Amino acid sequence: MGKKPTPFIHKHFLLSSKRARQLYHEFAKDQPIIDYHNHLPPDEIANDRRFDNLAQIWLHGDHYKWRAMRANGVAERFCTGDASDREKFQAWAETVPKCLRNPLYHWTHLELKRPFGCDGRLLDGDSAQSIWEECNERLAEPAFSVRGILTQMNVRVVCTTDDPVDSLEHHLAIAKEQSTGAAEGFTVQVRPTWRPDKGMAVEDPRTFNAWLEQLAAASNSEIRDFDSYLAALGKRHEFFHRAGCRLSDHGVETIYAEDYTDRQIAAIFAKLRAGKAINQHERDQFRSCMLIEGARMDHARGWVQQFHIGALRNNNQRLFAALGPDKGFDSIGDANLARPLSRFLDRLDATDQLAKTVLYNLNPRDNEMLATMTGNFQDGSVPGKIQFGSGWWFLDQKEGMEKQLNALSNLGLLSRFVGMLTDSRSFLSFTRHEYFRRVLCNLLGQEMTDGLLPDDLALIGSLVQDVCYHNAANYFDFGLGEKKAKKERKSRVAKAVE
């Protein structure tokens, strides 16, 4: 009998050198996960949702897969339409072989391996039925509930994405369970993240005013003018803080940094409140003001602010009208970014109100610009105060990660990087952290082999642990504690070197 073929996703996947393998298996693999930005639904964590089948946990809401399926000629009913779950899964399985060299091919098989343990076959139209049955059987096990998966994947913190008007009832319910001991061993921190994008979405006064009414109700306030609007936001910001929020996040095409006066903003808000349209310059002034005011709130409460910059959204108006947002019709934008970003950060720094900040770009041309921009506003108060965030969305694949890591290494301090996040709506996406860790270890391991880095496992292994876990544990105010982090790191380094 011949030798059994190596599975596609094997223990040394992406690890091309001995040192890369040592770095991953001895230093990176077992590090806990801090997923400080994602779009997971908190109600499903609170209710410990069980999924009936693989399509429910894997395909529903996944615009990455929908884009690939459409490109493969799959009809919309098998993406977002009324086809059965089994039919949708079959359509995806038949698309997978066409995804060679697309990161979806890697992600798909990583997720089948972990947590399902399904690694001996490639997914295609022929293997779809057996993989469907095998994974559905696993989903029926207690360890494959939402909380079970989070625990299996060694997740310490999950930060969801939440509108200021959200009640946060599910976050509060989880925290209450955990504080009273009723969570049955579920110790993952589930924290909200302040996402105030609708508070500056003023293209349509009617939609904006509808959201203002929701804000007024949530804050038990009357919103008459701009001052009362800020006061209502401030009340919700305080409520989020009490509920465990320690980060904000903004999804913007570019950073807005127009000049404005208080009188101008008051007049613009009055127009909006009266249902009147405003011109483009007024929109940019209002958005500029809202970014500054929000940043000041974040600084006052010691939060980290995040900016996801560069998405050109809802490009296909016909399908946007039919299906709505977040269905796979967004792309990389090319708005000018450097000058307004510099002005924005400088305005906050000038009054000592610049919070810890993570900047993400969607256009890879901006890698070096962002990496150098962060260096302008490091002030020695916090290691890595201004972060060049990980490869995001279209860039969270091997090449995109390597380019981000190289730009950061060349122009900043990789050793202070807070590492990876999923930015996902799927509970199976935590293998993105594994993917990132393998890419990181392969990059560093090859440079150790080539003599570009010292051939010192303890030194480079310590950097790997920091980037995978400890830097985030120390950077974000999640109560994980530097003392504990140092103790864990020392133990792991000693064990690995032995």
Side-chain angles (χ1 to χ4, degrees), residues 258-261 264-265 268 279-290:
E258 297 293 323
D259 291 327
Y260 60 85
T261 65
Q264 287 171 324
I265 297 301
I268 292 169
N279 62 42
Q280 186 63 55
H281 180 61
E282 289 173 322
R283 291 178 197 173
D284 290 347
Q285 284 183 307
F286 189 81
R287 291 167 177 154
S288 300
C289 177
M290 293 311 301

Side-chain angles (χ1 to χ4, degrees), residues 195 197 200 249-254 306-310 313 392:
R195 180 74 173 250
D197 291 0
M200 51 189 281
D249 181 58
H250 307 260
V252 290
E253 185 177 344
T254 187
Q306 301 174 95
F307 296 92
H308 286 84
I309 310 167
R313 299 179 186 272
W392 164 52

Side-chain angles (χ1 to χ4, degrees), residues 124-357:
D124 56 27
D126 293 334
S127 64
Q129 183 62 31
S130 62
I131 289 175
W132 172 263
E133 292 173 355
E134 182 176 331
C135 292
N136 288 350
E137 286 181 9
R138 301 303 306 272
L139 286 171
E141 299 173 10
F144 282 79
S145 69
V146 161
R147 295 188 183 188
I149 290 171
L150 290 172
T151 301
Q152 278 195 67
M153 301 302 288
N154 198 19
V155 179
R156 291 276 178 90
V157 182
V158 161
C159 294
T160 62
T161 300
D162 310 277
D163 190 281
V165 304
D166 288 346
S167 69
L168 304 186
E169 59 184 293
H170 303 296
H171 297 86
L172 296 173
I174 295 166
K176 183 177 180 180
E177 268 193 89
Q178 292 174 329
S179 66
T180 60
E184 297 183 2
F186 181 67
T187 61
V188 180
Q189 295 185 32
V190 182
R191 293 176 177 266
T193 297
W194 174 267
R195 180 74 173 250
D197 291 0
K198 292 182 180 179
M200 51 189 281
V202 291
E203 303 85 1
D204 179 2
R206 181 182 300 178
T207 301
F208 180 65
N209 276 301
W211 182 82
L212 287 180
E213 293 307 316
Q214 291 180 285
L215 176 63
S219 62
N220 193 27
S221 306
E222 182 182 355
I223 299 178
R224 304 173 306 278
D225 53 23
F226 185 69
D227 287 342
S228 55
Y229 171 46
L230 280 187
L233 278 176
K235 289 175 69 173
R236 296 303 296 168
H237 199 276
E238 180 182 5
F239 171 73
F240 268 58
H241 188 80
R242 293 200 309 270
C245 180
R246 295 296 181 268
L247 298 94
S248 69
D249 181 58
H250 307 260
V252 290
E253 185 177 344
T254 187
I255 293 292
Y256 302 96
E258 297 293 323
D259 291 327
Y260 60 85
T261 65
D262 292 345
R263 179 175 294 182
Q264 287 171 324
I265 297 301
I268 292 169
F269 187 84
K271 279 187 185 179
L272 291 166
R273 203 68 175 112
K276 298 178 182 178
I278 58 176
N279 62 42
Q280 186 63 55
H281 180 61
E282 289 173 322
R283 291 178 197 173
D284 290 347
Q285 284 183 307
F286 189 81
R287 291 167 177 154
S288 300
C289 177
M290 293 311 301
L291 286 182
I292 289 291
E293 294 295 339
R296 289 170 176 165
M297 290 183 193
D298 293 347
H299 179 268
R301 290 202 164 88
W303 290 9
V304 174
Q305 57 181 357
Q306 301 174 95
F307 296 92
H308 286 84
I309 310 167
L312 190 63
R313 299 179 186 272
N314 306 317
N315 293 269
N316 188 321
Q317 288 301 300
R318 176 177 63 85
L319 291 174
F320 172 66
L323 304 174
D326 303 321
K327 297 299 189 295
F329 304 105
D330 307 325
S331 62
I332 294 172
D334 60 356
N336 290 328
L337 176 57
R339 193 169 296 278
L341 177 58
S342 175
R343 293 185 69 193
F344 170 70
L345 296 173
D346 192 51
R347 283 177 180 174
L348 294 166
D349 185 78
T351 57
D352 195 22
Q353 291 177 296
L354 179 56
K356 289 187 285 187
T357 303

Side-chain angles (χ1 to χ4, degrees), residues 376-388:
N376 296 331
F377 298 96
Q378 309 287 12
D379 59 13
S381 62
V382 177
K385 177 180 176 178
I386 313 299
Q387 289 277 328
F388 174 25

